[in-house]
PDB file of all heavy atoms in Angstrom:
ATOM      1  N   LEU A 377     -11.661  14.489 -24.360  1.00 92.00           N
ATOM      2  CA  LEU A 377     -12.834  14.889 -23.575  1.00 92.00           C
ATOM      3  C   LEU A 377     -12.585  16.292 -23.033  1.00 92.00           C
ATOM      4  O   LEU A 377     -11.468  16.793 -23.115  1.00 92.00           O
ATOM      5  CB  LEU A 377     -12.993  13.905 -22.406  1.00 92.00           C
ATOM      6  CG  LEU A 377     -13.579  12.533 -22.726  1.00 92.00           C
ATOM      7  CD1 LEU A 377     -13.643  11.706 -21.453  1.00 92.00           C
ATOM      8  CD2 LEU A 377     -14.969  12.659 -23.330  1.00 92.00           C
ATOM      9  N   PRO A 378     -13.604  16.926 -22.488  1.00 94.00           N
ATOM     10  CA  PRO A 378     -13.354  18.249 -21.901  1.00 94.00           C
ATOM     11  C   PRO A 378     -12.384  18.141 -20.736  1.00 94.00           C
ATOM     12  O   PRO A 378     -12.249  17.073 -20.124  1.00 94.00           O
ATOM     13  CB  PRO A 378     -14.729  18.697 -21.416  1.00 94.00           C
ATOM     14  CG  PRO A 378     -15.697  17.843 -22.123  1.00 94.00           C
ATOM     15  CD  PRO A 378     -15.015  16.550 -22.436  1.00 94.00           C
ATOM     16  N   CYS A 379     -11.758  19.233 -20.400  1.00 95.00           N
ATOM     17  CA  CYS A 379     -10.872  19.293 -19.250  1.00 95.00           C
ATOM     18  C   CYS A 379     -11.697  19.161 -17.977  1.00 95.00           C
ATOM     19  O   CYS A 379     -12.706  19.843 -17.821  1.00 95.00           O
ATOM     20  CB  CYS A 379     -10.120  20.615 -19.243  1.00 95.00           C
ATOM     21  SG  CYS A 379      -9.324  20.984 -17.691  1.00 95.00           S
ATOM     22  N   ILE A 380     -11.313  18.267 -17.078  1.00 94.00           N
ATOM     23  CA  ILE A 380     -12.053  18.116 -15.824  1.00 94.00           C
ATOM     24  C   ILE A 380     -11.319  18.806 -14.672  1.00 94.00           C
ATOM     25  O   ILE A 380     -11.618  18.582 -13.512  1.00 94.00           O
ATOM     26  CB  ILE A 380     -12.301  16.633 -15.489  1.00 94.00           C
ATOM     27  CG1 ILE A 380     -10.996  15.866 -15.440  1.00 94.00           C
ATOM     28  CG2 ILE A 380     -13.260  16.012 -16.494  1.00 94.00           C
ATOM     29  CD1 ILE A 380     -11.116  14.495 -14.767  1.00 94.00           C
ATOM     30  N   ARG A 381     -10.358  19.612 -14.991  1.00 94.00           N
ATOM     31  CA  ARG A 381      -9.607  20.400 -14.005  1.00 94.00           C
ATOM     32  C   ARG A 381      -8.985  19.526 -12.906  1.00 94.00           C
ATOM     33  O   ARG A 381      -8.908  19.912 -11.753  1.00 94.00           O
ATOM     34  CB  ARG A 381     -10.502  21.478 -13.380  1.00 94.00           C
ATOM     35  CG  ARG A 381     -11.206  22.273 -14.454  1.00 94.00           C
ATOM     36  CD  ARG A 381     -11.644  23.642 -14.084  1.00 94.00           C
ATOM     37  NE  ARG A 381     -11.832  23.916 -12.705  1.00 94.00           N
ATOM     38  CZ  ARG A 381     -11.449  25.044 -12.122  1.00 94.00           C
ATOM     39  NH1 ARG A 381     -10.845  25.960 -12.834  1.00 94.00           N
ATOM     40  NH2 ARG A 381     -11.655  25.245 -10.857  1.00 94.00           N
ATOM     41  N   CYS A 382      -8.499  18.366 -13.333  1.00 94.00           N
ATOM     42  CA  CYS A 382      -7.956  17.440 -12.347  1.00 94.00           C
ATOM     43  C   CYS A 382      -6.573  17.862 -11.903  1.00 94.00           C
ATOM     44  O   CYS A 382      -6.027  17.327 -10.939  1.00 94.00           O
ATOM     45  CB  CYS A 382      -7.881  16.043 -12.927  1.00 94.00           C
ATOM     46  SG  CYS A 382      -6.709  15.923 -14.282  1.00 94.00           S
ATOM     47  N   THR A 383      -5.938  18.792 -12.618  1.00 95.00           N
ATOM     48  CA  THR A 383      -4.627  19.369 -12.312  1.00 95.00           C
ATOM     49  C   THR A 383      -3.473  18.362 -12.327  1.00 95.00           C
ATOM     50  O   THR A 383      -2.442  18.598 -11.744  1.00 95.00           O
ATOM     51  CB  THR A 383      -4.594  20.143 -10.969  1.00 95.00           C
ATOM     52  OG1 THR A 383      -4.784  19.249  -9.892  1.00 95.00           O
ATOM     53  CG2 THR A 383      -5.609  21.225 -10.941  1.00 95.00           C
ATOM     54  N   ARG A 384      -3.659  17.259 -12.980  1.00 95.00           N
ATOM     55  CA  ARG A 384      -2.486  16.387 -13.181  1.00 95.00           C
ATOM     56  C   ARG A 384      -1.442  17.108 -14.014  1.00 95.00           C
ATOM     57  O   ARG A 384      -0.246  16.928 -13.814  1.00 95.00           O
ATOM     58  CB  ARG A 384      -2.918  15.128 -13.930  1.00 95.00           C
ATOM     59  CG  ARG A 384      -3.523  14.121 -12.980  1.00 95.00           C
ATOM     60  CD  ARG A 384      -4.542  13.247 -13.644  1.00 95.00           C
ATOM     61  NE  ARG A 384      -5.358  12.708 -12.585  1.00 95.00           N
ATOM     62  CZ  ARG A 384      -5.361  11.439 -12.224  1.00 95.00           C
ATOM     63  NH1 ARG A 384      -4.646  10.588 -12.901  1.00 95.00           N
ATOM     64  NH2 ARG A 384      -6.077  11.040 -11.207  1.00 95.00           N
ATOM     65  N   CYS A 385      -1.918  17.929 -14.947  1.00 96.00           N
ATOM     66  CA  CYS A 385      -0.998  18.685 -15.786  1.00 96.00           C
ATOM     67  C   CYS A 385      -0.209  19.686 -14.931  1.00 96.00           C
ATOM     68  O   CYS A 385       1.000  19.872 -15.122  1.00 96.00           O
ATOM     69  CB  CYS A 385      -1.756  19.413 -16.883  1.00 96.00           C
ATOM     70  SG  CYS A 385      -3.170  20.360 -16.284  1.00 96.00           S
ATOM     71  N   VAL A 386      -0.888  20.293 -13.964  1.00 96.00           N
ATOM     72  CA  VAL A 386      -0.188  21.242 -13.078  1.00 96.00           C
ATOM     73  C   VAL A 386       0.909  20.541 -12.293  1.00 96.00           C
ATOM     74  O   VAL A 386       2.014  21.042 -12.139  1.00 96.00           O
ATOM     75  CB  VAL A 386      -1.195  21.899 -12.088  1.00 96.00           C
ATOM     76  CG1 VAL A 386      -0.481  22.866 -11.183  1.00 96.00           C
ATOM     77  CG2 VAL A 386      -2.317  22.588 -12.853  1.00 96.00           C
ATOM     78  N   PRO A 395      -1.424  24.575 -16.847  1.00 96.00           N
ATOM     79  CA  PRO A 395      -1.736  24.204 -18.236  1.00 96.00           C
ATOM     80  C   PRO A 395      -3.221  24.203 -18.551  1.00 96.00           C
ATOM     81  O   PRO A 395      -3.610  24.537 -19.653  1.00 96.00           O
ATOM     82  CB  PRO A 395      -1.139  22.796 -18.345  1.00 96.00           C
ATOM     83  CG  PRO A 395      -0.056  22.754 -17.310  1.00 96.00           C
ATOM     84  CD  PRO A 395      -0.568  23.605 -16.172  1.00 96.00           C
ATOM     85  N   GLN A 396      -4.047  23.838 -17.553  1.00 96.00           N
ATOM     86  CA  GLN A 396      -5.482  23.761 -17.867  1.00 96.00           C
ATOM     87  C   GLN A 396      -6.035  25.153 -18.141  1.00 96.00           C
ATOM     88  O   GLN A 396      -6.937  25.328 -18.974  1.00 96.00           O
ATOM     89  CB  GLN A 396      -6.258  23.043 -16.757  1.00 96.00           C
ATOM     90  CG  GLN A 396      -6.622  23.840 -15.538  1.00 96.00           C
ATOM     91  CD  GLN A 396      -5.422  24.136 -14.645  1.00 96.00           C
ATOM     92  OE1 GLN A 396      -4.303  23.721 -14.904  1.00 96.00           O
ATOM     93  NE2 GLN A 396      -5.630  24.844 -13.581  1.00 96.00           N
ATOM     94  N   ASP A 397      -5.505  26.172 -17.496  1.00 95.00           N
ATOM     95  CA  ASP A 397      -5.969  27.542 -17.761  1.00 95.00           C
ATOM     96  C   ASP A 397      -5.461  28.010 -19.134  1.00 95.00           C
ATOM     97  O   ASP A 397      -6.213  28.614 -19.898  1.00 95.00           O
ATOM     98  CB  ASP A 397      -5.465  28.513 -16.681  1.00 95.00           C
ATOM     99  CG  ASP A 397      -6.215  28.310 -15.365  1.00 95.00           C
ATOM    100  OD1 ASP A 397      -7.334  27.807 -15.413  1.00 95.00           O
ATOM    101  OD2 ASP A 397      -5.649  28.638 -14.305  1.00 95.00           O
ATOM    102  N   PHE A 399      -4.814  26.208 -21.611  1.00 96.00           N
ATOM    103  CA  PHE A 399      -5.616  25.495 -22.609  1.00 96.00           C
ATOM    104  C   PHE A 399      -6.954  26.227 -22.822  1.00 96.00           C
ATOM    105  O   PHE A 399      -7.371  26.469 -23.944  1.00 96.00           O
ATOM    106  CB  PHE A 399      -5.878  24.067 -22.146  1.00 96.00           C
ATOM    107  CG  PHE A 399      -7.043  23.396 -22.792  1.00 96.00           C
ATOM    108  CD1 PHE A 399      -7.028  23.148 -24.154  1.00 96.00           C
ATOM    109  CD2 PHE A 399      -8.154  23.037 -22.054  1.00 96.00           C
ATOM    110  CE1 PHE A 399      -8.126  22.554 -24.763  1.00 96.00           C
ATOM    111  CE2 PHE A 399      -9.244  22.445 -22.656  1.00 96.00           C
ATOM    112  CZ  PHE A 399      -9.229  22.203 -24.012  1.00 96.00           C
ATOM    113  N   CYS A 424       2.454  17.849 -19.793  1.00 97.00           N
ATOM    114  CA  CYS A 424       1.043  18.022 -19.469  1.00 97.00           C
ATOM    115  C   CYS A 424       0.174  17.115 -20.348  1.00 97.00           C
ATOM    116  O   CYS A 424      -0.710  16.421 -19.867  1.00 97.00           O
ATOM    117  CB  CYS A 424       0.629  19.475 -19.586  1.00 97.00           C
ATOM    118  SG  CYS A 424       1.137  20.239 -21.132  1.00 97.00           S
ATOM    119  N   VAL A 427       0.169  13.359 -19.344  1.00 96.00           N
ATOM    120  CA  VAL A 427      -0.621  12.873 -18.208  1.00 96.00           C
ATOM    121  C   VAL A 427      -2.114  13.172 -18.316  1.00 96.00           C
ATOM    122  O   VAL A 427      -2.879  12.646 -17.513  1.00 96.00           O
ATOM    123  CB  VAL A 427      -0.119  13.446 -16.865  1.00 96.00           C
ATOM    124  CG1 VAL A 427       1.303  12.977 -16.597  1.00 96.00           C
ATOM    125  CG2 VAL A 427      -0.207  14.950 -16.851  1.00 96.00           C
ATOM    126  N   CYS A 428      -2.519  13.986 -19.260  1.00 96.00           N
ATOM    127  CA  CYS A 428      -3.925  14.436 -19.260  1.00 96.00           C
ATOM    128  C   CYS A 428      -4.886  13.254 -19.445  1.00 96.00           C
ATOM    129  O   CYS A 428      -4.848  12.582 -20.475  1.00 96.00           O
ATOM    130  CB  CYS A 428      -4.155  15.452 -20.371  1.00 96.00           C
ATOM    131  SG  CYS A 428      -5.890  15.975 -20.466  1.00 96.00           S
ATOM    132  N   PRO A 429      -5.754  12.987 -18.453  1.00 95.00           N
ATOM    133  CA  PRO A 429      -6.667  11.861 -18.601  1.00 95.00           C
ATOM    134  C   PRO A 429      -7.765  12.121 -19.621  1.00 95.00           C
ATOM    135  O   PRO A 429      -8.429  11.205 -20.051  1.00 95.00           O
ATOM    136  CB  PRO A 429      -7.262  11.701 -17.198  1.00 95.00           C
ATOM    137  CG  PRO A 429      -7.154  13.053 -16.581  1.00 95.00           C
ATOM    138  CD  PRO A 429      -5.950  13.700 -17.185  1.00 95.00           C
ATOM    139  N   SER A 430      -7.948  13.381 -20.009  1.00 95.00           N
ATOM    140  CA  SER A 430      -8.923  13.690 -21.039  1.00 95.00           C
ATOM    141  C   SER A 430      -8.287  13.653 -22.439  1.00 95.00           C
ATOM    142  O   SER A 430      -8.956  13.928 -23.412  1.00 95.00           O
ATOM    143  CB  SER A 430      -9.545  15.068 -20.802  1.00 95.00           C
ATOM    144  OG  SER A 430     -10.422  15.021 -19.708  1.00 95.00           O
ATOM    145  N   HIS A 431      -7.005  13.335 -22.487  1.00 95.00           N
ATOM    146  CA  HIS A 431      -6.276  13.210 -23.769  1.00 95.00           C
ATOM    147  C   HIS A 431      -6.387  14.450 -24.622  1.00 95.00           C
ATOM    148  O   HIS A 431      -6.585  14.367 -25.836  1.00 95.00           O
ATOM    149  CB  HIS A 431      -6.748  11.963 -24.533  1.00 95.00           C
ATOM    150  CG  HIS A 431      -6.610  10.715 -23.753  1.00 95.00           C
ATOM    151  ND1 HIS A 431      -5.386  10.140 -23.500  1.00 95.00           N
ATOM    152  CD2 HIS A 431      -7.510   9.967 -23.092  1.00 95.00           C
ATOM    153  CE1 HIS A 431      -5.568   9.064 -22.751  1.00 95.00           C
ATOM    154  NE2 HIS A 431      -6.837   8.942 -22.474  1.00 95.00           N
ATOM    155  N   ILE A 432      -6.289  15.591 -24.002  1.00 95.00           N
ATOM    156  CA  ILE A 432      -6.340  16.849 -24.742  1.00 95.00           C
ATOM    157  C   ILE A 432      -4.936  17.114 -25.304  1.00 95.00           C
ATOM    158  O   ILE A 432      -3.964  17.020 -24.549  1.00 95.00           O
ATOM    159  CB  ILE A 432      -6.765  18.012 -23.835  1.00 95.00           C
ATOM    160  CG1 ILE A 432      -8.101  17.672 -23.172  1.00 95.00           C
ATOM    161  CG2 ILE A 432      -6.849  19.315 -24.624  1.00 95.00           C
ATOM    162  CD1 ILE A 432      -8.497  18.652 -22.084  1.00 95.00           C
ATOM    163  N   LEU A 434      -2.752  19.247 -25.400  1.00 96.00           N
ATOM    164  CA  LEU A 434      -2.521  20.567 -24.807  1.00 96.00           C
ATOM    165  C   LEU A 434      -1.435  21.368 -25.510  1.00 96.00           C
ATOM    166  O   LEU A 434      -1.619  22.531 -25.858  1.00 96.00           O
ATOM    167  CB  LEU A 434      -2.156  20.396 -23.318  1.00 96.00           C
ATOM    168  CG  LEU A 434      -3.267  19.820 -22.447  1.00 96.00           C
ATOM    169  CD1 LEU A 434      -2.741  19.358 -21.111  1.00 96.00           C
ATOM    170  CD2 LEU A 434      -4.352  20.877 -22.259  1.00 96.00           C
ATOM    171  N   TYR A 438      -1.038  25.226 -27.206  1.00 95.00           N
ATOM    172  CA  TYR A 438      -0.078  26.294 -26.844  1.00 95.00           C
ATOM    173  C   TYR A 438       0.691  26.757 -28.083  1.00 95.00           C
ATOM    174  O   TYR A 438       0.935  27.940 -28.239  1.00 95.00           O
ATOM    175  CB  TYR A 438       0.893  25.815 -25.771  1.00 95.00           C
ATOM    176  CG  TYR A 438       0.224  25.192 -24.568  1.00 95.00           C
ATOM    177  CD1 TYR A 438       0.820  24.194 -23.831  1.00 95.00           C
ATOM    178  CD2 TYR A 438      -1.053  25.615 -24.190  1.00 95.00           C
ATOM    179  CE1 TYR A 438       0.187  23.604 -22.757  1.00 95.00           C
ATOM    180  CE2 TYR A 438      -1.692  25.019 -23.110  1.00 95.00           C
ATOM    181  CZ  TYR A 438      -1.080  24.010 -22.406  1.00 95.00           C
ATOM    182  OH  TYR A 438      -1.705  23.438 -21.348  1.00 95.00           O
TER     183      TYR A 438
ATOM    184  N   VAL B  13     -10.410   9.535 -17.965  1.00 93.00           N
ATOM    185  CA  VAL B  13     -11.399  10.099 -17.051  1.00 93.00           C
ATOM    186  C   VAL B  13     -12.273   8.993 -16.497  1.00 93.00           C
ATOM    187  O   VAL B  13     -12.579   8.941 -15.294  1.00 93.00           O
ATOM    188  CB  VAL B  13     -12.260  11.133 -17.785  1.00 93.00           C
ATOM    189  CG1 VAL B  13     -13.351  11.657 -16.866  1.00 93.00           C
ATOM    190  CG2 VAL B  13     -11.392  12.281 -18.286  1.00 93.00           C
ATOM    191  N   THR B 283      -7.857  24.965  -8.479  1.00 95.00           N
ATOM    192  CA  THR B 283      -6.803  24.178  -9.118  1.00 95.00           C
ATOM    193  C   THR B 283      -5.443  24.425  -8.488  1.00 95.00           C
ATOM    194  O   THR B 283      -4.463  23.786  -8.869  1.00 95.00           O
ATOM    195  CB  THR B 283      -6.720  24.532 -10.626  1.00 95.00           C
ATOM    196  OG1 THR B 283      -6.743  25.952 -10.727  1.00 95.00           O
ATOM    197  CG2 THR B 283      -7.892  23.968 -11.387  1.00 95.00           C
TER     198      THR B 283
HETATM  199  S1  SF4 C 601      -4.665  17.097 -17.038  1.00 93.19           S
HETATM  200 FE1  SF4 C 601      -6.113  17.490 -18.703  1.00 93.19          FE
HETATM  201  S2  SF4 C 601      -8.118  17.249 -17.725  1.00 93.19           S
HETATM  202 FE2  SF4 C 601      -6.633  17.434 -16.066  1.00 93.19          FE
HETATM  203  S3  SF4 C 601      -6.634  19.612 -15.592  1.00 93.19           S
HETATM  204 FE3  SF4 C 601      -4.990  19.287 -17.051  1.00 93.19          FE
HETATM  205  S4  SF4 C 601      -5.935  19.675 -19.017  1.00 93.19           S
HETATM  206 FE4  SF4 C 601      -7.581  19.391 -17.593  1.00 93.19          FE
END
Side-chain angles (χ1 to χ4, degrees):
Chain A
L377 284 179
C379 166
I380 56 165
R381 310 205 337 138
C382 66
T383 66
R384 279 150 200 249
C385 50
V386 179
Q396 81 287 359
D397 288 336
F399 159 64
C424 49
V427 296
C428 178
S430 288
H431 303 287
I432 304 171
L434 295 166
Y438 309 149
Chain B
V13 176
T283 47

